[in-house]
């Protein structure tokens, strides 16, 4: 959730643009009793009470000596300022101690000045508040990473981490007049930033002026280098870490020191997701090991949870029901919806009333790298707003017919909802007009929520009247409440109708609601008690059926709970995630066969109709809908008419099948493989009752990811005593393919598998390091083997290549093929080719399976290591590399990097 930095708080909302002309206003200052400032770690927090901000347009200026700089959203993200405001004017302003315009004394004492301007529409007054705060903070880690609402900040100790003096090769690119960071008002006498290289992962080089123009912040303090980036820029990118999306910025910073040019690589990775909401609890998952930031093993020294930028101790967390726990891959913060640190907000999508809940947890970690003993502090401020939750206000008909007044109680609603009007049968009356007629009362509770009580006399013109019999007068009041959610001014409405009769009978009535699995029905008795029968769908409510549906009697009404799968519920339609079901309730008087009350309730219920499993199995559920009344579920089939439901009843048909069976089609979309099938009627088995009965067809589909990419990290060892810049990390990809023949010109594609081969027919494999032309690297095949299953570690297995050489125990020895340069092969050392005669696994002379999979462990070697281990066996000479003892792995240089690849399956035809 990103926050606009200029707000109109309260009812009025607008965005203030820098440089926009404003009308002449009278400015005056007020005391700051309703403003609170706090120092919290590396931030200063300013809190404004809603009494100050409500109804006002707020502008924020940073104090820089005698100047006041208006903070636009872009400048705020660049300079380390952020703001959080709820719809009622409660506002928090956060300032980074490393931000622009902060008076910094030796990275220990920080003087912050802000000027707040409040504009009110319809008045010429401007209220200004000048706020100053001094914070002290010296517990800086070697590296500090802050993920704020609108920016990512990395601050690095200039005496720590990856800083290296420039080499002779850089000297020719350094200008004598290095650009100084004048805008940020920092002391660049000792340190001056020259240029920066952003990696996305492709490098983009910018001079310091270009960095600032692009919206990034870069500065040096007395002891630290600070880089700040907004989210979603051209130089940031997204990466999935343990299932959590992260926004990543990676930059190399070139800066001058009294000793020469130095380079520091900085990186921040901030979560942009990982939130789930279930059963009234918010779960925020953060990767336990944020791999983009880690180059080795780390030890977590501290782990804290907080709210609104402030840490909470264990007692505070327990009193609020908060938990901070860890799993193998995640740190998990759980917060109950409705905790006092957050707030509810009303919404009206599609004119339906919903609620959301917003809370802002904080996670702070301190870890130390085990190899360098360098510490990193990682802090995330993460506002969370739940998905919209439907909210159904209670509707209570409190009418007493003998009093001659309709009384309807409607609520509860949040305080940000206003009643605008009510539509009656004669027209629309505003809320003020309803009040003037004495119809409407608003009741407010201490927490700000409200209910509306409507009282309409039977004699008023808005009430409909009719006489079904001489001795019976019936009164009917249809209503439609029109509401507005503030301050967005989003409308929604609720329609209902109440009725009553005088002189002999008050008719019974029915009300109902739904949750995600059940219809809840309330039948309110009339003045003659339970003198009626109840019809649910097409069946009479008998005592036996009442026990099934949990019928309870309450003197004036009865209640029923019907699962939406009940036989008395009609299915109108369904899709992949829900089914729309309808319950019809009829109250009728059996003696005269009068219909007393009819009620229909249609709701959408969650229902997963298709599931996809990693073993290639699909399950599908088909539902009999009302529009196809003669559908018999057990007659449904897949495309292959022999594939029928494994279970069915009068309403459902359940299918389970493999994606390679039952006529399932297969289509490739990039890295995804889509499987699709249809559920339809087997018309050869169906007895038709109408030539125009609707056709029934239900399409089910699954898709699977068929390719993925990993990141391999390596570095080159510099020559002794010659300083050099650290080698960065990048993405390498190793690929194994099966060639059509020994020319290695054409290869089988993904849609060709499983490939058909005969016993003892050669299979030609090629393994290549992609997207690299580095002649100092060589690809080595360490071990290759075959299995019956796709899993690399499955048994049985047969070794093809062992410790880089052919398996001498194999009767048909693996043959290595030379690789020469051509149009496709630029560096032969980055390719390996071998062939093996196709074989099968047997047990007691019986073939176990007609498919095999081939797997390899590939090693990337640095040829400059000079250890003699990085070479492949050559079949023509029979020379073998040293072989490790049984049960041990051959030890290789630390400059080697391993890669795991697989190919297959190869299907064997047993023809000689």
């Amino acid at each position: 959730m990103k926050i606009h930095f200029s707000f109109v708080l309260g009812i009025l909302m607008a965005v203030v643009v820098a440089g926009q002309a404003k009308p002449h206003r009278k400015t005056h200052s007020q005391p700051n009793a309703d403003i609170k400032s706090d120092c919290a770690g590396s931030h200063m927090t300013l809190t404004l009470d809603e009494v100050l901000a409500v109804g006002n347009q707020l502008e924020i200026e940073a104090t820089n000596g005698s100047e006041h700089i208006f903070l636009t959203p872009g400048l705020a993200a660049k300079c380390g300022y952020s703001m959080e405001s709820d719809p009622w004017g409660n506002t928090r302003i956060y300032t980074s101690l490393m931000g622009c315009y902060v008076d910094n004394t030796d990275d220990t004492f920080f003087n912050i000045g802000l000027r707040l301007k409040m504009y009110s529409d319809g008045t010429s007054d401007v209220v200004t508040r000048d706020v100053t705060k001094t914070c002290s903070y010296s517990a800086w880690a070697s590296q500090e990473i802050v993920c704020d609402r609108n920016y990512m900040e990395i601050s690095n100790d200039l005496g720590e981490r990856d800083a290296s003096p420039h080499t002779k090769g850089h000297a020719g690119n350094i200008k004598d007049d290095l650009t100084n960071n004048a805008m940020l008002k920092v002391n660049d006498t000792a340190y001056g930033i020259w240029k920066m290289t952003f990696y996305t992962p492709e490098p983009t080089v910018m001079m310091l002026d270009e960095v600032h123009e692009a919206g990034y912040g870069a500065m040096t303090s007395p002891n630290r280098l600070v880089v700040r980036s907004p989210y979603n820029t051209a130089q940031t990118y997204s990466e999935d870490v343990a299932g959590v999306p992260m926004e990543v910025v990676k930059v190399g910073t070139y800066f001058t020191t009294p000793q020469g040019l130095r380079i520091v690589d900085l990186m921040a990775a901030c979560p942009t997701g990982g939130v789930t909401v279930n059963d009234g609890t918010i779960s925020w998952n953060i990767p336990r090991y944020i791999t983009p930031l880690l180059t080795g093993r780390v030890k977590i020294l501290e782990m804290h949870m907080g709210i609104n930028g402030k840490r909470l101790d264990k007692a505070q967390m327990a009193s609020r029901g908060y938990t901070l726990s860890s799993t193998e891959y995640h740190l998990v913060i759980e917060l109950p919806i409705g905790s006092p640190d957050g707030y509810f907000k009303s919404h009206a999508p599609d004119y339906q009333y919903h609620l959301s809940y917003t809370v802002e947890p904080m996670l702070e970690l301190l870890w130390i790298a085990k190899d360098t003993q360098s510490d990193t502090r990682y802090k995330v401020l993460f506002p969370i707003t739940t998905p919209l939750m439907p909210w159904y206000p209670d509707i209570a008909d409190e009418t007493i017919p003998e009093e001659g007044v309709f009384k309807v109680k409607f609520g509860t609603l949040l305080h940000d909802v206003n009643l605008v009007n009510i539509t009656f049968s004669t027209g629309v009356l505003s809320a003020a007009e309803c009040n003037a007629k004495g119809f409407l009362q608003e009741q407010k509770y201490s927490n700000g929520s409200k209910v509306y009580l409507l009282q309409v006399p039977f004699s008023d013109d808005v009430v409909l009247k009719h006489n079904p019999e001489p001795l019976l007068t019936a009164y009917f009041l249809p209503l439609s409440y029109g509401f507005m959610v503030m301050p967005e001014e989003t409308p929604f409405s609720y329609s209902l109708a109440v009725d009553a009769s005088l002189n002999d009978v008050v008719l019974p009535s029915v009300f109902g609601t739904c949750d995600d699995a059940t219809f809840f029905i309330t039948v309110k008795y009339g003045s003659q008690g339970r003198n009626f029968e109840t019809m649910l769908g097409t069946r009479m409510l008998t005592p036996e059926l009442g026990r099934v549906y949990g019928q309870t009697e309450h003197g004036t009404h009865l209640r029923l709970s019907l699962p939406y799968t009940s036989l008395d519920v009609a299915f109108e339609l369904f899709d992949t995630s829900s089914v729309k079901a309808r319950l019809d309730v009829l109250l009728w008087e059996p003696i005269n066969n009068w219909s007393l009350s009819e009620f229909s309730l249609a709701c959408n219920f969650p229902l997963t109709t298709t599931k996809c499993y990693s073993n290639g199995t699909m399950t599908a559920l088909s539902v009999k809908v009302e529009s196809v009344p003669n559908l018999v579920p057990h007659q449904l089939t897949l495309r292959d008419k022999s594939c029928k439901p494994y279970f069915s009843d009068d309403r459902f048909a359940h299918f389970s099948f493999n994606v390679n069976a039952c006529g399932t089609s297969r289509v490739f979309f990039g890295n995804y493989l889509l499987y699709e099938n249809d559920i339809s009627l087997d018309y050869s088995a169906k007895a038709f009752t109408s030539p125009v009965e609707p056709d029934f067809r239900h399409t089910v589909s699954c898709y699977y990811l068929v390719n993925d990419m990993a990141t391999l990290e390596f570095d080159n060892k510099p020559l002794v005593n010659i300083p050099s810049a650290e080698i960065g990390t990048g993405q390498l990809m190793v690929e194994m393919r099966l060639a059509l023949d020994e020319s290695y010109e054409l290869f089988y594609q993904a849609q060709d598998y499983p490939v058909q081969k005969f016993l003892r027919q050669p299979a030609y494999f090629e393994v290549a390091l992609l997207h690299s032309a580095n002649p100092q690297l060589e690809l080595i095949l360490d071990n290759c083997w075959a299995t019956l299953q796709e899993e690399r570690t499955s048994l049985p297995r047969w070794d093809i290549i062992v410790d880089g050489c052919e398996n001498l125990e194999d009767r048909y020895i693996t043959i290595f093929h030379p690789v020469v340069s051509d149009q496709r092969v630029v560096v032969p050392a980055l390719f390996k080719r071998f062939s093996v005669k196709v074989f099968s696994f047997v047990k007691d002379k019986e073939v176990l399976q007609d498919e095999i999979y081939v797997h390899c462990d590939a090693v990337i070697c640095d040829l400059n290591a000079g250890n003699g281990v990085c070479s492949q066996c050559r079949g023509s000479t029979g020379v073998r590399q040293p072989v490790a003892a049984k049960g041990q792995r051959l030890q290789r240089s630390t400059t080697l990097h391993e890669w795991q690849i697989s190919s297959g399956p190869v299907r064997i035809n047993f023809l000689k």
Side-chain angles (χ1 to χ4, degrees):
M1 182 174 111
K2 300 296 182 284
I3 305 299
H4 289 289
F5 205 77
S6 295
F7 285 90
V8 177
L9 300 172
I11 295 178
L12 180 64
M13 175 170 282
V15 176
V16 179
V17 181
Q20 178 180 352
K22 302 180 178 66
H24 178 73
R25 297 177 184 261
K26 183 178 179 180
T27 303
H28 59 89
S29 298
Q30 291 185 1
N32 295 334
D34 43 14
I35 299 177
K36 180 181 179 182
S37 59
D38 294 292
C39 301
S42 60
H43 279 79
M44 188 276 284
T45 305
L46 198 65
T47 304
L48 283 69
D49 188 84
E50 65 174 317
V51 175
L52 172 66
V54 68
N56 291 325
Q57 177 178 306
L58 174 65
E59 287 185 2
I60 303 173
E61 296 177 349
T63 302
N64 185 29
S66 61
E67 296 181 291
H68 296 283
I69 294 88
F70 173 58
L71 294 176
T72 64
L75 185 59
K78 182 198 301 187
C79 286
Y81 297 85
S82 66
M83 183 169 73
E84 180 75 16
S85 178
D86 67 24
W88 306 282
N90 298 295
T91 303
R92 293 184 300 275
I93 303 169
Y94 298 84
T95 303
S96 170
L97 299 187
M98 286 292 169
C100 311
Y101 320 117
V102 175
D103 183 12
N104 182 343
T105 303
D106 200 28
D107 289 337
T108 303
F109 297 98
F110 306 87
N111 296 316
I112 300 119
L114 295 174
R115 170 168 287 183
L116 311 180
K117 291 184 176 181
M118 275 72 69
Y119 300 87
S120 296
D121 275 5
T123 176
S124 60
D125 289 345
V126 179
V127 178
T128 64
R129 300 292 181 92
D130 289 319
V131 181
T132 59
K133 182 70 174 180
T134 299
C135 295
S136 63
Y137 182 68
S138 58
W140 296 102
S142 300
Q143 179 175 244
E144 301 240 350
I145 299 172
V146 177
C147 301
D148 210 323
R149 299 150 197 79
N150 54 336
Y151 65 85
M152 300 177 281
E153 180 182 275
I154 318 109
S155 124
N156 203 91
D157 192 326
L158 287 172
E160 301 284 343
R161 298 177 59 88
D162 301 335
S164 58
H166 70 78
T167 65
K168 182 178 180 181
H170 289 102
N173 297 324
I174 303 175
K175 297 182 180 180
D176 295 332
D177 54 342
L178 294 172
T179 305
N180 292 319
N181 191 356
M183 183 197 75
L184 300 180
K185 303 296 184 186
V186 297
N187 182 7
D188 286 341
T189 302
Y191 299 98
I193 299 173
W194 172 38
K195 67 176 183 179
M196 301 172 70
T197 301
F198 291 86
Y199 299 92
T200 61
E202 292 78 13
T204 301
V205 180
M206 296 185 187
M207 305 306 291
L208 184 58
D209 288 344
E210 296 174 315
V211 170
H212 292 157
E213 291 174 1
Y216 302 97
M219 59 178 281
T220 58
S221 71
N223 304 296
R224 303 185 73 80
L225 172 65
V226 183
V227 173
R228 198 174 292 110
S229 170
Y231 292 91
N232 300 316
T233 70
Q235 278 70 47
T236 62
Y237 60 94
S238 296
E239 183 172 337
D240 187 282
V241 180
V244 177
M246 308 284 285
E247 183 89 0
V248 180
V249 59
K250 180 181 180 183
V251 59
T253 304
Y254 297 70
F255 65 99
T256 58
T257 71
Q259 293 77 32
L261 179 67
R262 304 185 76 180
I263 306 170
V264 172
D265 289 330
L266 301 176
M267 177 181 285
C270 295
T272 58
V275 176
T276 59
V277 178
N278 190 28
D279 294 332
T281 299
I282 299 171
S283 298
W284 178 29
N285 295 270
I286 309 96
R288 185 169 182 175
Y289 299 103
I290 307 172
T291 51
L293 304 179
L294 306 178
T295 58
R297 300 185 64 186
V298 299
K299 180 180 180 181
I300 297 179
L301 302 179
E302 296 180 12
M303 185 166 59
H304 305 281
M305 178 206 168
I307 290 291
N308 299 332
K310 295 182 180 179
R311 291 183 183 177
L312 298 178
D313 57 32
K314 291 183 178 180
Q316 292 170 318
M317 291 172 60
S319 67
R320 293 166 167 85
Y322 302 153
T323 61
L324 172 59
S325 59
S326 61
T327 66
E328 183 178 359
Y329 299 107
H330 296 94
L331 301 175
V332 182
I333 290 178
E334 292 187 332
L335 310 96
I337 294 177
S339 66
D341 295 311
Y343 62 87
F344 284 100
K345 179 71 180 72
S346 298
H347 305 269
D350 298 327
Y351 305 102
Q352 301 297 313
Y353 189 39
H354 290 70
L355 299 182
S356 68
Y357 176 76
T358 298
V359 67
E360 186 179 300
M362 179 192 77
L363 175 69
E364 184 176 340
L365 303 175
L366 179 66
W367 68 70
I368 187 170
K370 292 188 176 181
D371 52 353
T372 65
Q373 296 299 301
S374 179
D375 58 343
T376 298
R377 189 179 306 279
Y378 181 79
K379 182 188 292 186
V380 184
L381 306 173
F382 198 77
I384 296 173
T385 298
T386 65
L388 300 188
M389 301 172 288
W391 181 256
Y392 304 101
D394 294 329
I395 302 172
D397 181 3
E398 299 178 348
T399 301
I400 301 176
E402 288 74 17
E403 294 179 354
V405 178
F406 281 113
K407 295 181 180 180
V408 180
K409 193 173 185 179
F410 189 97
T412 304
L413 301 167
L414 292 184
H415 63 286
D416 60 348
V417 174
N418 290 335
L419 178 63
V420 178
N421 56 48
I422 301 178
T423 301
F424 297 93
S425 60
T426 56
V428 180
L429 295 179
S430 67
E433 292 171 329
C434 290
N435 282 324
K437 290 175 70 68
F439 286 175
L440 189 63
Q441 294 180 15
E442 181 181 278
Q443 297 178 356
K444 290 187 176 181
Y445 299 106
S446 59
N447 62 358
S449 61
K450 64 183 75 172
V451 297
Y452 291 97
L453 179 62
L454 187 69
Q455 301 185 74
V456 180
F458 289 174
S459 59
D460 197 278
D461 292 340
V462 300
V463 178
L464 300 176
K465 313 168 185 67
H466 71 284
N467 300 100
E469 295 181 4
L471 298 178
L472 178 65
T473 301
Y475 299 90
F476 183 67
L477 180 62
L479 301 168
S480 180
Y481 290 83
F483 295 99
M484 192 78 72
V485 175
M486 305 302 294
E488 299 84 357
E489 298 185 351
T490 307
F492 69 96
S493 64
Y494 272 94
S495 297
L496 57 98
V498 289
D499 56 47
S501 297
L502 279 176
N503 299 330
D504 58 356
V505 175
V506 175
L507 297 179
S509 56
V510 185
F511 303 92
T513 60
C514 306
D515 64 9
D516 59 356
T518 308
F519 288 97
F520 299 97
I521 301 299
T522 300
V523 179
K524 184 178 180 181
Y525 304 157
S527 59
Q528 295 182 344
R530 191 175 179 184
N531 67 328
F532 56 86
E533 299 290 346
T534 303
M535 187 75 73
L536 300 175
T538 59
R539 292 198 297 176
M540 189 73 67
L541 179 62
T542 62
E544 293 76 17
L545 190 58
R547 285 192 290 271
V548 173
Y549 292 150
Q551 177 179 339
T552 57
E553 300 282 349
H554 300 274
T556 60
H557 60 279
L558 65 84
R559 287 178 176 170
L560 300 166
S561 300
L562 284 74
Y564 77 91
T565 55
S566 303
L567 293 177
D568 301 303
V569 175
F571 295 141
E572 294 185 351
L573 56 89
F574 71 98
D575 55 25
T576 58
S577 60
S578 66
V579 59
K580 184 176 182 181
R582 188 187 75 251
L583 176 63
D584 298 325
V585 181
L586 171 65
L587 307 181
W588 63 287
E589 196 272 335
I591 298 175
N592 298 299
N593 200 26
W594 290 337
S595 176
L596 304 181
S597 180
E598 294 183 4
F599 175 78
S600 290
L601 180 61
C603 299
N604 288 309
F605 298 93
L607 177 66
T608 301
T609 59
T610 305
K611 292 184 179 180
C612 310
Y613 298 91
S614 58
N615 64 355
T617 299
M618 292 176 61
T619 61
L621 173 66
S622 195
V623 181
K624 179 179 179 179
V625 292
E626 189 178 36
S627 60
V628 190
N630 294 315
L631 175 67
V632 180
H634 76 81
Q635 294 178 348
L636 293 172
T637 70
L638 297 172
R639 289 174 181 168
D640 184 342
K641 301 306 179 184
S642 65
C643 294
K644 299 181 178 180
Y646 72 88
F647 171 78
S648 64
D649 57 17
D650 292 339
R651 319 198 72 193
F652 299 96
H654 299 260
F655 293 85
S656 178
F657 56 97
N658 189 276
V659 296
N660 294 317
C662 296
T664 307
S665 61
R666 178 180 70 178
V667 179
F668 281 90
F669 293 96
N671 284 343
Y672 291 90
L673 183 57
L674 175 69
Y675 292 93
E676 192 172 81
N677 209 321
D678 294 322
I679 300 174
S680 60
L681 279 174
D682 182 3
Y683 288 97
S684 63
K686 181 180 179 298
F688 286 93
T689 59
S690 171
V692 294
E693 184 174 354
D695 188 13
F696 180 85
R697 185 173 301 276
H698 174 200
T699 300
V700 296
S701 60
C702 287
Y703 67 91
Y704 296 86
L705 184 65
V706 296
N707 254 329
D708 205 352
M709 179 180 291
T711 300
L712 181 64
E713 183 177 308
F714 71 96
D715 54 34
N716 290 337
K717 183 177 180 182
L719 297 176
V720 179
N721 299 326
I722 299 179
S724 65
E726 180 184 352
I727 302 301
T729 60
Q731 291 186 337
L732 298 178
M733 186 174 180
V734 176
E735 180 185 61
M736 180 162 67
R737 297 193 294 174
L738 181 60
L740 270 68
D741 54 37
E742 61 185 351
S743 68
Y744 289 92
E745 293 180 353
L746 299 175
F747 296 84
Y748 291 102
Q749 302 303 311
Q751 62 268 23
D752 300 325
Y753 287 89
V755 173
Q756 305 286 335
K757 292 287 184 180
F758 296 96
L759 277 175
R760 294 187 292 278
Q761 180 184 0
Y764 299 92
F765 294 89
E766 179 184 272
V767 181
L769 174 61
L770 303 181
H771 313 306
S772 176
N774 189 344
Q776 302 304 317
L777 301 179
E778 182 173 3
L779 175 69
I780 301 298
L781 297 181
D782 195 2
N783 294 284
C784 295
W785 65 97
T787 64
L788 285 174
Q789 307 297 328
E790 189 174 0
E791 177 59 39
R792 298 169 55 85
T793 59
S794 62
L795 296 175
R797 61 175 275 174
W798 181 257
D799 292 329
I800 298 172
I801 296 174
V802 179
D803 291 329
C805 300
E806 61 275 307
N807 182 9
L808 297 179
E809 298 178 6
D810 196 338
R811 183 170 59 176
Y812 301 102
I813 295 179
T814 302
I815 299 175
F816 288 96
H817 296 273
V819 183
V820 296
S821 298
D822 56 24
Q823 186 176 1
R824 184 172 64 89
V825 178
V826 179
V827 181
L830 303 182
F831 290 73
K832 286 296 180 289
R833 293 171 176 169
F834 67 94
S835 64
V836 60
K837 292 186 178 180
V838 175
F839 60 93
S840 63
F841 289 87
V842 297
K843 181 178 181 181
D844 298 330
K845 298 183 179 182
E846 292 291 328
V847 176
L848 295 179
Q849 187 171 306
D850 62 350
E851 289 183 353
I852 61 172
Y853 293 80
V854 176
H855 317 274
C856 286
D857 288 336
V859 178
I860 300 173
C861 291
D862 182 359
L863 298 181
N864 290 326
N867 55 14
V869 178
C870 292
S871 59
Q872 192 81 53
C873 269
R874 307 188 185 279
S876 59
T877 62
V879 179
R880 296 179 60 84
Q881 296 298 316
V883 178
K886 185 174 182 180
Q888 296 181 341
R889 180 176 178 80
L890 187 64
Q891 297 298 311
R892 295 187 180 274
S893 165
T894 57
T895 60
L896 309 183
H897 304 275
E898 295 188 351
W899 202 275
Q900 298 179 337
I901 46 180
S902 299
S903 180
V906 175
R907 180 166 292 170
I908 306 163
N909 292 323
F910 296 96
L911 300 177
K912 299 182 180 179

